[in-house]
Structure formats: structure tokens, C-alpha cells
Amino acid sequence: MKYDFTTIMNRGGRNTMAVDGYGMMTQGIDIKEGVEPIPMWVADMSFATVPTVPQQIIERVNHPEYGYFITPDEYYNSIIEWHEKRNGVTGLTRECIEYENSVLGGVASALSVLCSKGDKVLIHKPTYIGFTMTLKNNGYDIIHSELVKDENGVYRMDFEDMEKKIVENNIHTTIFCSPHNPTGRVWERWELEKAMEIFQKHDVMVICDEIWSDLILADNKHIPLQSINEDAKNRVIAEYAPSKTFNLAGLVGSYHIIYNKYLRDRVRKESSLGHYNAANLLSVHALIGAYKPEGYEWVDELCQVLTENVNYACDFFANEFEGIEISKPEGTYMIFPDFTKWCEKHGRNIDEVYAAGIREGVIWQPGSAFNGPNCIRMNLALPHSKLVEAMDRLKMAIKGLE
Ligand SMILES: Cc1ncc(COP(=O)(O)O)c(C=O)c1O
């Protein structure tokens, strides 16, 4: 490997949420004395970003003038090239792209354009907690359509249920997550086509969150929803960011792609109303640094590392335990093990499993936050040696309950 994904970085002492804020996850459960916590919860990575990011930022910072600035052409050109080279997107122009102060901020602005307060919005379950909060905080009603596992344990959309809920609730907006957090599904073309067919049939506008679209595992392939057909191109408001891909969440900087001029004018207007949505000089330069040629290589290597970690963790659970079910993710760096059968077999509940992991210093996240009550979400974006250590600790913790 050209880049370093093995060094164990000391992330503590810098107000890093994953490490310095893990108390949010321990729920008053004490970690055993002398055991160092391993952060496997909030969605950022225990890897240093690609070196071109700090290089680009430092180069700009060295010029000691940080007044009002104009977003440079290089920013837009970097995005256009990234989408062309990574996802085969052609014909993307600068006017379709706009900075957003975080993906959830973009989702909130798009919702304001598409919905009135109290409107019902369709979303899949399990659900990324940020969507739940954004919808609740902004006064929209959530209608869930549950993903169902097929005979191979793969989470699939229940198209019949989606259509029924859309019709019954007179729904005209959905938030679609692609790849899906927390299940890690990378939707296949036929799945996207079928979903879009339903959305078109019932006039449902789509906010598509593709923040995870660079983190694709093994041989899977991400297909941008807007590329499905001409209707999708005009019906979908897509949200992207370099933040998950390059570990830049603390810099805050995402962007939308909207081809439909009417929609993008409306979203832009809505985003501008709070006067908070101006690009930050450093995050603009971070994106430019990330989308350089080195960034392409770095992400390819990262995806290999994540694939190995996901394979290791899935095999570990399968070999060591009976009844812990994992639908192997095809993208993201999350796994979402379901302990329902294991708990039934051993007369335990999910809180006991969760607490046992925390006591061993494995900082994972309750699935209930994602509408998966018997699941626990685990972040595998950490050096492999740390993952091995975490899984050994979990083995001890869970075996101790059997
Ligand atoms: C699907 C999804 N969307 C959005 C976000 C958050 O993005 P931002 O911090 O840019 O709002 C996350 C973070 O985990 C996520 O998983």
C-alpha cells in the first residue's frame, strides 16, 4: 500500500468526538479499569486523511489573509472531474453544484422546498439517526418502509409496501440513502429503477443522500440515482460530501447536485435564508486537496482496507457465535449485527450485550437509534490490528453471557 492505514493514531486530547466524547455511548456503564476504549461508533475514521488535504490547507493558510472569498473554479472543476471519473457522470456543469453546510443542512433545505410542515415523508427503516432528527426537528411526519432481508440475508426494499404507504399517506417526498446507512446496501440498478418508477408514478420528489458513495466495498458499484433516467435526473436532489470519504467531518463542507433549474433555484433560496450557508475557506481547500489524483488512489486503497475489515468482522461473528446475523455491507464502513436469535437462544437482552461490549472498552452504538432495536452499529474504519483487538474483546464479552 502506498498510504498508511496501519498506524494507530492518538486521536485523544483534541476534542475528537469519537474519543473524547465517547461518554455519550457508555450510558453510565463503567469500562474495566486499565482498558483503553476503542472508538467504533460515530461515523468518522481512525485513519489520517490523504496528505494532499493538509498540504492544500497549509498552503492556503500560509498566506495570512482570510477575508471574504469567492469559491474558486478549481472547487467546481474538482467536483465535476470526481463524479466523471468515479461514477461516469457526464454533462455535470458548475451551475448544478452548490456548497451546503453539511449534508443534513442540505437535506433540511430541500425538505423546506418540497414539503409543508406536518407533511409525511417516506424513509426506509433501519434509518440513519440524522434523518430521523432532521425530520422531527423540522416538523415533518415520518412514514417508515421497512427493508426486508431476502433468502440470502440481503436487505431489499419492499416495493409493494413503499407504494402502499405513498398512496395511503398521500406522500410526495422521500429521503433515499444510497449507499444505505446503517445496512451498507449499495443498491443495484434494477432496485433503483424500480424505486424511481414508483416515485415517478406517484409524483414523489426524492432527496438522495449519497454521502457514502465513494466507500464501496469489494466488486460492488455505486450508481448515482440521478443517472437512472431523464425523469430521475430532474426528480432527484442529490447530496454529496468529501467528509465520510476523507475523514473531514470536522471541517464541515458538502454540496448538492441539482439538474432541475426550478428546484435548484428554490433550494438555493431556502439555503440562503438563514445566512449560515456560506462556504468555509478551509473546507473548500480541503475538498480541492482531497479530489487531487492522490485522493483517487487513496480512496481505492481505503476501500480495500475497509473490505478486509468488513470480511474479518463478518467472518468472526459467523465463526464464533450462533445466532448473530449480519447482512454483509457492500458499502460504508458500518456493520449492523442483529442479535435477535442469539438473545433468544441465551435468554439475554440486547442491553446486556451492549453493556458487556462497553465494559471491555468497545465503544459501539445501540441499534435502537437507527430503528434496529436488536442490532448494534459498529464502525470498522480503524487499523486492522485494532479491529482484531476489538473483536477479541467482544468474543470475551459475549461468550461471558452465553
Ligand atoms: C447517510 C448520512 N448522511 C449524512 C450524514 C452527516 O453528514 P453531515 O455531517 O455532512 O451532515 C451522515 C453521517 O454519518 C450519514 O451517515
Side-chain angles (χ1 to χ4, degrees):
M1 289 247 165
K2 181 166 167 189
Y3 296 100
D4 177 10
F5 296 98
T6 53
T7 295
I8 296 169
M9 212 178 11
N10 181 4
R11 303 180 72 193
R14 290 181 177 78
N15 306 311
T16 305
M17 189 186 282
V19 178
D20 298 319
Y22 72 77
M24 290 154 82
M25 289 297 115
T26 55
Q27 304 178 346
I29 303 154
D30 288 332
I31 298 174
K32 275 187 190 164
E33 232 176 271
V35 170
E36 193 204 346
I38 303 178
M40 299 179 78
W41 61 291
V42 68
D44 63 18
M45 305 195 276
S46 296
F47 300 124
T49 189
V50 62
T52 46
V53 167
Q55 279 159 17
Q56 178 77 25
I57 292 176
I58 289 164
E59 194 181 304
R60 179 58 188 84
V61 166
N62 278 340
H63 187 271
E65 182 276 300
Y66 316 111
Y68 291 113
F69 75 105
I70 299 164
T71 310
D73 289 346
E74 214 182 342
Y75 174 80
Y76 296 100
N77 293 339
S78 304
I79 292 172
I80 291 168
E81 199 178 339
W82 184 263
H83 286 269
E84 184 171 351
K85 289 193 172 150
R86 306 266 343 155
N87 292 323
V89 174
T90 53
L92 174 60
T93 53
R94 175 188 176 132
E95 356 14 299
C96 304
I97 303 165
E98 188 67 83
Y99 174 88
E100 289 281 4
N101 242 350
S102 90
V103 161
L104 288 178
V107 169
S109 294
L111 285 168
S112 323
V113 166
L114 299 174
C115 305
S116 299
K117 298 296 174 201
D119 269 1
K120 295 178 167 50
V121 175
L122 184 79
I123 194 155
H124 289 129
K125 174 181 168 176
T127 323
Y128 164 53
I129 185 177
F131 296 147
T132 306
M133 281 158 59
T134 304
L135 287 165
K136 280 191 180 158
N137 291 343
N138 287 284
Y140 307 108
D141 285 353
I142 301 173
I143 301 293
H144 289 119
S145 179
E146 190 155 4
L147 301 176
V148 283
K149 285 192 197 158
D150 69 10
E151 61 283 5
N152 299 315
V154 178
Y155 281 102
R156 300 281 179 190
M157 286 181 252
D158 182 343
F159 296 108
E160 216 174 286
D161 181 68
M162 284 163 64
E163 185 158 19
K164 185 165 165 273
K165 300 253 165 82
I166 287 169
V167 172
E168 274 176 8
N169 296 285
N170 197 23
I171 287 175
H172 288 291
T173 307
T174 185
I175 302 178
F176 193 86
C177 195
S178 177
H180 184 263
N181 175 14
T183 66
R185 269 312 310 283
V186 173
W187 307 109
E188 294 172 48
R189 181 173 292 278
W190 71 268
E191 294 175 291
L192 298 175
E193 282 173 354
K194 206 152 176 189
M196 284 312 302
E197 199 183 301
I198 295 170
F199 297 146
Q200 181 175 5
K201 182 172 165 197
H202 297 287
D203 277 328
V204 177
M205 301 304 290
V206 185
I207 303 167
C208 188
D209 181 339
E210 301 196 13
I211 195 172
W212 290 100
S213 57
D214 298 315
L215 301 182
I216 305 298
L217 310 175
D219 296 332
N220 297 290
K221 177 100 191 83
H222 172 73
I223 301 168
L225 190 58
Q226 287 167 326
S227 73
I228 286 299
N229 54 34
E230 199 54 30
D231 180 77
K233 193 169 179 178
N234 281 295
R235 184 176 296 285
V236 173
I237 293 173
E239 304 286 342
Y240 296 93
S243 52
K244 294 287 161 242
T245 319
F246 291 98
N247 211 17
L248 307 178
L251 281 165
V252 184
S254 57
Y255 56 92
H256 67 227
I257 295 179
I258 308 177
Y259 290 98
N260 179 313
K261 180 161 170 21
Y262 169 79
L263 277 183
R264 74 172 175 251
D265 286 351
R266 299 271 289 112
V267 171
R268 260 167 222 184
K269 175 71 182 168
E270 199 62 41
S271 305
S272 72
L273 293 179
H275 295 270
Y276 285 113
N277 200 39
N280 178 292
L281 181 65
L282 296 187
S283 79
V284 163
H285 280 272
L287 180 141
I288 293 169
Y291 286 1
K292 280 186 187 293
E294 291 86 343
Y296 291 74
E297 288 177 329
W298 187 89
V299 177
D300 288 343
E301 290 193 355
L302 170 67
C303 288
Q304 281 177 43
V305 170
L306 297 177
T307 301
E308 280 165 27
N309 279 0
V310 164
N311 288 342
Y312 180 84
C314 290
D315 290 349
F316 194 94
F317 275 117
N319 295 336
E320 294 293 341
F321 303 101
E322 224 176 283
I324 301 179
E325 293 182 337
I326 306 184
S327 181
K328 192 187 258 194
E330 299 155 337
T332 81
Y333 43 69
M334 298 297 182
I335 55 169
F336 201 54
D338 183 339
F339 291 80
T340 307
K341 289 188 181 148
W342 182 93
C343 284
E344 275 165 18
K345 185 167 176 220
H346 297 283
R348 298 283 187 176
N349 64 46
I350 193 70
D351 296 340
E352 292 173 285
V353 179
Y354 184 74
I358 294 283
R359 276 195 291 277
E360 292 298 332
V362 175
I363 314 298
W364 46 5
Q365 189 162 10
S368 52
F370 303 89
N371 297 318
N374 284 321
C375 300
I376 300 182
R377 194 180 78 154
M378 293 180 71
N379 172 340
L380 305 187
L382 70 176
H384 191 74
S385 62
K386 270 283 155 196
L387 173 66
V388 171
E389 187 183 335
M391 296 310 291
D392 287 344
R393 292 193 203 177
L394 283 182
K395 182 175 166 182
M396 201 155 55
I398 300 171
K399 292 278 181 211
L401 298 174
E402 286 186 346

